[in-house]
Amino acid sequence: MNGVPAYLPTALALVVAAYEFRQCRTSASPTAARALCLFALAMGAATALLAPPTREALAQLPPAWPGVLAYLLGRELEMVALYFLVLTVFALELPGPAPSWTRHRTRRWHVRLTAAALVLCTVAFLLGRARSAQGHVSARGAGRLAVAAFDSVFTLYSLWCLCVFVLVVHRHARGLGRGVLRTGLRLVLAGGLVGLLWALWGFTSVAGMLARGRQSAGQDPVAVLLSSCCLLLGGLGATAARWQPLTARALRWLRACQEHLMLRPLWSALHAVLPDGAVLAGRGRGVEFARYRRVIEIRDGYLALRPYLHPRTARWTAEALDRHPVPGPRRPAVVEAAAIAVALECAGARGGDRAADGRTGEAIGTPPTPCTEAVRDSLDAEAAWLTRVARELTCSPAVAYARACAGRHVRGTP
């Protein structure tokens, strides 16, 4: 992968670095913002050094050593970047089972481990007397083992840092409620998981060096793709507080569209039986207003169905739930949907004597047992509840059984 796409990971890393640099003054955790900024700068420098165009430019220089040293420097910059990445979660002091003194001790061990890994990688690579030519790093004889050891230490260190980062972020994100912070941490977590794949790809260099005595001298197309995805997801997560308000309106519109469509079966059933009770509101005010109108019309249909809610509804619903059990969280919606289905069946036969015998002053959603599991104090909550009722009305076998019982009663069949 040559040209501009090869520098995409570098550009993404620099964008994250610029954002975190601005956050250093205003962030509640300036140390963490500073560490994340240094991570992005080191990763950007590493990906720039290891990019194929940079590698080809260095290969044009007369001595052979600039390309080899650039490869070694690029890999060690990646290790420094991962050091700052782990330092970020230590600086944030995310809640976890370990006490603070354990974290401080772990931080000291992390510094020692990083220093040891950098020294081991440098010594092993220099002992291997590697050469750079035609876009590859090669070694001969015992040097192959030394360079393979360099690749192994680099890959294992990368995996360790990323595993620490992913586990800490996952543990923290799991206990958060909905909001910008959880969204950002989930994106960062996804970037960390892609980073693990990127680190695992490093074992291909070990295999190539042991088998053929050579490996890629920089980022191959797979590494560029994985690093770009990793940094993109991490950058989106780190900047979630900035971009999420811009997408909130679009997400609200999409949710309104989804709920408007999901409410259609319930609205259509009420409108078909009681067309005169529907609210006639103006059109062309957007999907959110259409959803609001549909919720109001459904509730008006509930009121119109009140005289037709049969006194035997509770018994028929209990029989239906015995025959077709449903999980506990779904039961309130099934009970309300069954009440609507029974009332619709009675209302459909209102021209006969049986319908008159079934009339009652009870209301859907309240008698004879509570049918709702939570207080719905907003339009979003009401629409979400009614979509559940609509789904049960059209799909639940228990609701179909209760309606069949009401149909046999109003028709006088056994």
Side-chain angles (χ1 to χ4, degrees):
M1 183 178 292
N2 297 320
V4 176
Y7 291 103
L8 180 59
T10 304
L12 293 172
L14 293 179
V15 169
V16 174
Y19 177 80
E20 293 301 330
F21 180 76
R22 294 184 60 185
Q23 293 295 107
C24 288
R25 295 182 178 179
T26 59
S27 175
S29 301
T31 305
R34 194 179 303 114
L36 199 55
C37 178
L38 292 173
F39 155 77
L41 287 174
M43 187 60 70
T47 53
L49 279 175
L50 296 174
T54 305
R55 185 182 62 206
E56 293 173 3
L58 292 174
Q60 302 300 323
L61 298 177
W65 54 266
V68 176
L69 292 184
Y71 175 78
L72 174 61
L73 180 60
R75 291 303 183 194
E76 295 207 339
L77 279 173
E78 286 186 347
M79 297 172 69
V80 171
L82 292 173
Y83 163 77
F84 285 117
L85 185 65
V86 176
L87 207 63
T88 301
V89 294
F90 289 153
L92 285 174
E93 294 186 355
L94 299 178
S100 58
W101 64 269
T102 304
R103 292 176 185 170
H104 292 314
R105 187 174 63 181
T106 305
R107 187 180 305 180
R108 290 196 299 269
W109 275 107
H110 178 58
V111 174
R112 296 170 184 171
L113 178 64
T114 303
L118 289 171
V119 171
L120 282 175
C121 284
T122 303
V123 172
F125 190 81
L126 294 178
L127 287 177
R129 297 182 179 181
R131 296 289 183 269
S132 177
Q134 298 180 351
H136 291 85
V137 171
S138 58
R140 299 179 181 177
R144 296 164 60 177
L145 296 177
V147 177
F150 159 79
D151 292 327
S152 300
V153 172
F154 168 78
T155 303
L156 292 175
Y157 176 82
S158 302
L159 288 173
W160 183 84
C161 289
L162 288 168
C163 284
V164 171
F165 179 78
V166 166
L167 289 175
V168 174
V169 173
H170 170 68
R171 186 172 56 199
H172 183 54
R174 187 175 52 185
L176 294 175
R178 289 186 177 182
V180 177
L181 181 58
R182 188 177 73 169
T183 301
L185 287 179
R186 284 185 172 181
L187 288 171
V188 169
L189 181 62
L193 293 175
V194 176
L196 285 173
L197 295 178
W198 182 18
L200 287 171
W201 184 251
F203 282 115
T204 59
S205 298
V206 179
M209 182 56 62
L210 292 176
R212 302 184 301 274
R214 69 174 191 171
Q215 64 188 45
S216 174
Q219 300 239 36
D220 55 34
V222 176
V224 171
L225 178 62
L226 291 175
S227 60
S228 299
C229 292
C230 172
L231 293 170
L232 178 61
L233 290 171
L236 289 175
T239 59
R242 294 285 185 182
W243 59 259
Q244 194 178 53
L246 301 177
T247 61
R249 186 173 181 179
L251 293 175
R252 182 176 179 83
W253 184 85
L254 290 174
R255 184 175 62 184
C257 286
Q258 181 186 22
E259 291 177 346
H260 183 263
L261 292 174
M262 295 177 69
L263 288 172
R264 184 175 181 82
L266 178 57
W267 177 86
S268 299
L270 295 171
H271 190 272
V273 177
L274 302 166
D276 296 336
V279 175
L280 298 178
R283 298 181 180 274
R285 298 191 184 182
V287 69
E288 292 191 31
F289 180 77
R291 179 189 61 164
Y292 168 75
R293 182 183 62 197
R294 185 155 286 183
V295 169
I296 296 301
E297 291 176 355
I298 289 172
R299 283 305 180 189
D300 284 349
Y302 276 25
L303 295 176
L305 282 179
R306 181 186 298 179
Y308 303 100
L309 183 60
H310 203 279
R312 299 185 184 181
T313 300
R315 188 178 72 183
W316 292 331
T317 303
E319 293 178 2
L321 291 173
D322 288 339
R323 283 178 172 266
H324 305 281
V326 298
R330 286 178 50 196
R331 288 180 69 92
V334 170
V335 172
E336 187 164 318
I340 297 168
V342 169
L344 287 172
E345 195 68 27
C346 294
R350 58 182 157 187
D353 296 334
R354 289 284 179 179
D357 293 341
R359 294 184 180 183
T360 177
E362 297 169 340
I364 297 173
T366 54
T369 57
C371 296
T372 58
E373 60 182 350
V375 177
R376 302 185 297 277
D377 55 357
S378 67
L379 176 63
D380 291 340
E382 182 72 13
W385 168 257
L386 291 178
T387 56
R388 293 175 57 187
V389 176
R391 189 183 304 115
E392 299 297 344
L393 182 68
T394 54
C395 302
S396 175
V399 174
Y401 180 86
R403 184 164 192 167
C405 292
R408 289 193 295 268
H409 177 77
V410 297
R411 289 191 297 271
T413 57

